[in-house]
């Protein structure tokens, strides 16, 4: 049995922790990128990023002022029992608590078009629930700022566009983004499914650890090729020129309709924040 | 890579010395203003009312900080995407604004107005909010408190680290960087 209160506390903790502590694989990738960067300006930017992330970790303060919308990925074991309230409410209460107690910026407006008024507690969170075997509850909190989120894109390609069409779309999206999403970026690519599913795949691909490859060798090769192409654009750290534009490219795919080739490109800034907990 | 220390308010001489690609350290007073604050300032201008601060010679920092922990001057305060302010910027430049700090590219219209008005566009490292906060010695909200993180803050900064992205001659480090390091032919 998992109590709603336990979920709330876990989510609150993850919101605070994720915003001040980068996952180790991201930190390592940033450090390694210093050896690759040829631009003196680019190198100094990478150093500043690493220094900033160390300060955030040591002082327990947010590494970036854009503490984002809290995206919460949940894997709910089908045999798990949640008591004392609804899962959605428990998560949102956790986000509210975490953003208040962690002195994180509240960046959510109640309405998108007219009367854009801040909700004041960073809710609602964006919640995705997958039901899986078992009786555990796995929660991943991934705060993501709008600088990189605004640069994400989705295209419904034709099957005839093929792999070249996919490459062109990803490269166009990255070039169009330029310095806005705070490179070096991580690129999540979803291929297949349908309109809504492909975006979710691309987003989830961002959670994979840096350096991991798709288990299918053809997709793994495409990840490597896209990474090289993106780094050959010359966009560089913060878009001011250099060799390190992306730290990695992760592709996820699934079956699609005979008439479709959906592709989504999720762009993640260098502050690739996420933290997870398993309850039950 | 050249390093230049500058003090606000900016004179024409100072602005003309800054060249795209320079590392800059800013000391003095700067003002935060982002989307909603710009929109409100435009409304004030239309009504012929004074702005929360006189923009002449000043530097606007596109930023919305996190709330400060008790005892701290400010929370994390990195730059936000400048492009969202492009439609408002030429008006501010015509009123005498001399510098902007943000991140990302600017529109052609903004660059033309910068050249005409002798102004400089600098970028801070996106995401480096915790480090930049250390350069802020004093902070106070001077307008639009109800906008929360989008309120106008007056910040006293010391050696605030930035980079000249576009100078008053129209040189653009974003374009120069890609030209220098790009290897893709198509």
């Amino acid at each position: 049995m998992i109590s709603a209160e336990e979920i709330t506390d876990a989510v609150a903790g993850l919101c605070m922790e994720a915003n001040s502590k980068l996952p180790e694989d991201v930190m390592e990738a940033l450090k390694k990128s210093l050896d690759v960067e040829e631009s003196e300006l680019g190198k100094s930017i990478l150093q500043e990023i690493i220094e900033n992330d160390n300060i955030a970790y040591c002082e327990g303060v947010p590494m970036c002022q854009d503490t984002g919308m809290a995206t919460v990925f949940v894997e709910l074991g089908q045999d798990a029992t949640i008591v004392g309230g609804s899962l959605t409410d428990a998560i949102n209460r956790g986000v509210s608590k975490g953003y208040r107690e962690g002195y994180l910026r509240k960046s959510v407006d109640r309405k998108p078009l007219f009367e854009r008024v801040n909700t004041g507690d960073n809710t609602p969170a964006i919640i995705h629930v997958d039901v899986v075997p078992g009786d555990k509850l796995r929660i991943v909190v991934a705060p993501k700022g709008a600088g990189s989120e605004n640069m994400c894109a989705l295209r419904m390609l034709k099957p005839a566009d093929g792999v070249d069409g996919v490459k062109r779309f990803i490269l166009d999206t990255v070039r169009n983004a330029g310095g806005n999403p705070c490179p070096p970026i991580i690129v999540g690519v979803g291929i297949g499914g349908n309109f809504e599913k492909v975006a979710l795949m691309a987003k989830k691909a961002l959670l994979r650890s840096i350096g991991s490859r798709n288990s299918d060798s053809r997709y793994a090769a495409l990840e490597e090729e896209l990474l090289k192409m993106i780094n050959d654009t010359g966009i560089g750290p913060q878009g001011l020129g250099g060799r390190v534009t992306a730290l990695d490219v992760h592709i996820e795919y699934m079956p699609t309709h005979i008439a479709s080739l959906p592709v989504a490109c999720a762009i993640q800034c260098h502050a690739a924040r996420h933290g997870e907990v398993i309850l039950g | 890579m050249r390093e230049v220390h500058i003090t606000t308010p900016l004179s024409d001489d100072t602005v003309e010395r800054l060249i795209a690609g320079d590392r800059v350290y800013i000391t003095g007073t700067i003002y935060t203003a982002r989307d909603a604050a710009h929109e409100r300032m435009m409304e004030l201008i239309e009504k012929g009312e004074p702005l929360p601060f006189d923009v002449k010679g000043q530097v606007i920092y596109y930023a919305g900080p996190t709330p400060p922990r008790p005892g701290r001057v400010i929370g994390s305060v990195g730059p936000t995407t400048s492009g969202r302010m492009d439609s408002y910027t030429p008006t501010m430049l015509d009123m005498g604004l001399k510098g902007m700090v943000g991140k990302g590219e600017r529109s052609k219209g903004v660059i033309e107005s910068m050249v005409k008005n002798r102004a400089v566009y600098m970028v801070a490292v996106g995401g480096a909010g915790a480090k930049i906060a250390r350069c802020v010695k004093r902070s106070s909200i001077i307008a639009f408190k109800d906008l929360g993180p989008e309120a106008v803050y007056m910040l006293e900064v010391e050696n605030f680290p930035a980079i000249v992205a576009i100078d008053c001659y129209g040189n653009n480090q974003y374009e120069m960087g890609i030209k220098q390091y790009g290897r893709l032919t198509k």
Side-chain angles (χ1 to χ4, degrees):
Chain A
M1 277 208 297
I2 304 160
S3 75
E5 201 184 335
E6 202 182 338
I7 296 168
T8 294
D9 287 344
V11 169
L14 286 173
C15 289
M16 291 188 263
E17 191 187 306
N19 270 299
S20 62
K21 184 175 184 268
L22 264 190
E24 271 170 35
D25 60 310
V26 182
M27 199 53 171
E28 279 310 305
L30 283 168
K31 285 178 184 162
K32 274 190 202 152
S33 70
L34 275 173
D35 300 331
V36 181
E37 187 50 66
E38 291 165 16
S39 154
E40 201 189 342
L41 187 56
K43 224 183 241 283
S44 78
I45 290 166
L46 291 170
Q47 273 158 348
E48 201 168 320
I49 289 170
I50 293 166
E51 193 191 337
N52 176 71
D53 295 344
N54 282 328
I55 292 171
Y57 176 56
C58 293
E59 296 185 3
V61 297
M63 62 192 83
C64 177
Q65 77 292 338
D66 191 347
T67 49
M69 256 188 120
T71 312
V72 183
F73 297 95
V74 179
E75 280 176 14
L76 174 64
Q78 62 193 15
D79 300 322
T81 307
I82 296 169
V83 295
S86 88
L87 175 64
T88 303
D89 289 349
I91 291 172
N92 277 322
R93 270 200 299 273
V95 168
S96 176
K97 184 173 186 235
Y99 275 70
R100 189 178 63 247
E101 291 179 3
Y103 295 91
L104 306 176
R105 196 179 83 185
K106 287 78 180 171
S107 309
V108 179
D109 273 347
R110 190 172 303 283
K111 295 177 182 176
L113 195 50
F114 306 114
E115 302 163 62
R116 290 183 63 109
V117 178
N118 202 299
T119 61
D121 66 354
N122 222 52
T123 64
I126 306 290
I127 304 169
H128 304 289
V129 181
D130 280 332
V131 177
V132 297
D135 59 359
K136 308 275 187 219
L137 177 66
R138 178 171 177 254
I139 303 172
V140 177
V141 173
K144 188 168 182 293
S148 67
E149 190 73 358
N150 286 348
M151 296 295 120
C152 299
L154 190 156
R155 182 81 55 82
M156 302 303 283
L157 295 177
K158 293 189 282 289
D161 291 325
V163 69
D164 283 342
V166 170
K167 283 195 257 185
R168 212 167 27 244
F169 167 64
I170 301 298
L171 215 51
D172 284 351
T173 305
V174 168
R175 277 193 168 127
N176 176 54
N180 288 344
C182 295
I185 53 176
I186 296 162
V187 180
V189 179
I191 304 175
N194 64 355
F195 178 71
E196 80 272 11
K197 188 74 181 183
V198 74
L200 189 53
M201 272 196 292
K203 210 52 172 304
K204 279 188 180 170
L206 296 175
L207 301 173
R208 270 171 46 190
S209 60
I210 310 274
S212 66
R213 286 285 157 262
N214 192 293
S215 56
D216 182 315
S217 61
R218 285 169 305 179
Y219 287 90
L222 187 55
E223 288 174 343
E224 303 264 6
E225 188 184 351
L226 279 169
L227 178 60
K228 183 169 186 314
M229 287 170 96
I230 290 168
N231 283 332
D232 279 347
T233 58
I235 292 167
Q238 295 295 315
L240 296 169
R243 306 293 317 144
V244 184
T245 303
L247 299 175
D248 213 348
V249 177
H250 295 149
I251 302 173
E252 295 295 320
Y253 68 94
M254 70 174 294
T256 188
H257 189 280
I258 48 172
S260 290
L261 177 53
V263 186
C265 180
I267 294 187
Q268 167 68 59
C269 65
H270 61 78
R273 296 156 281 184
H274 48 91
E276 71 165 86
V277 71
I278 294 171
L279 302 177
Chain B
M1 191 173 60
R2 221 169 54 134
E3 294 196 354
V4 189
H5 290 257
I6 61 172
T7 331
T8 63
L10 302 182
S11 66
D12 277 3
D13 276 359
T14 304
V15 170
E16 283 165 11
R17 261 194 312 136
L18 298 171
I19 303 297
D22 284 350
R23 265 271 176 197
V24 191
Y25 296 92
I26 309 165
T27 297
T29 303
I30 61 176
Y31 298 89
T32 70
R34 40 175 296 158
D35 313 55
H38 271 79
E39 201 184 327
R40 287 220 188 151
M41 289 198 285
M42 289 301 132
E43 285 166 16
L44 291 174
I45 293 167
E46 267 171 37
K47 285 190 222 152
E49 288 172 22
L51 295 181
F53 63 98
D54 182 1
V55 300
K56 269 198 194 69
Q58 299 300 341
V59 173
I60 288 183
Y61 180 28
Y62 305 132
T66 60
R69 281 182 184 279
R72 294 253 183 157
V73 172
I74 200 160
S76 288
V77 62
T80 198
T81 306
S82 310
R84 292 198 312 269
M85 268 52 79
D86 280 354
S87 58
Y88 311 114
T89 300
T91 307
M92 305 296 278
L93 293 170
D94 285 343
M95 293 175 75
L97 181 71
K98 279 287 159 190
M100 299 154 282
V101 183
K103 70 177 171 88
E105 280 268 29
R106 304 310 300 266
S107 69
K108 203 165 156 249
V110 169
I111 298 173
E112 281 168 5
S113 177
M114 281 172 56
V115 173
K116 184 183 88 179
N117 289 297
R118 283 290 190 255
V120 63
Y121 171 54
M122 298 167 278
V123 294
V125 172
K131 179 175 157 66
I132 292 170
R134 288 188 166 182
C135 310
V136 180
K137 301 303 166 191
R138 273 205 299 273
S139 101
S140 55
I141 295 178
I142 60 163
F144 316 141
K145 194 166 187 229
D146 61 298
L147 293 180
E150 296 204 70
V152 174
Y153 285 70
M154 182 170 72
L155 306 179
E156 295 287 338
V157 297
E158 215 173 274
N159 291 321
F160 178 111
I163 298 154
V164 178
I166 303 169
D167 61 32
C168 70
Y169 309 102
N171 298 309
N172 185 338
Q173 180 60 38
Y174 288 108
E175 287 171 3
M176 297 186 318
I178 284 181
K179 212 176 244 178
Q180 192 176 352
Y181 293 99
R183 288 181 186 167
L184 279 186
T185 46
K186 53 179 182 177

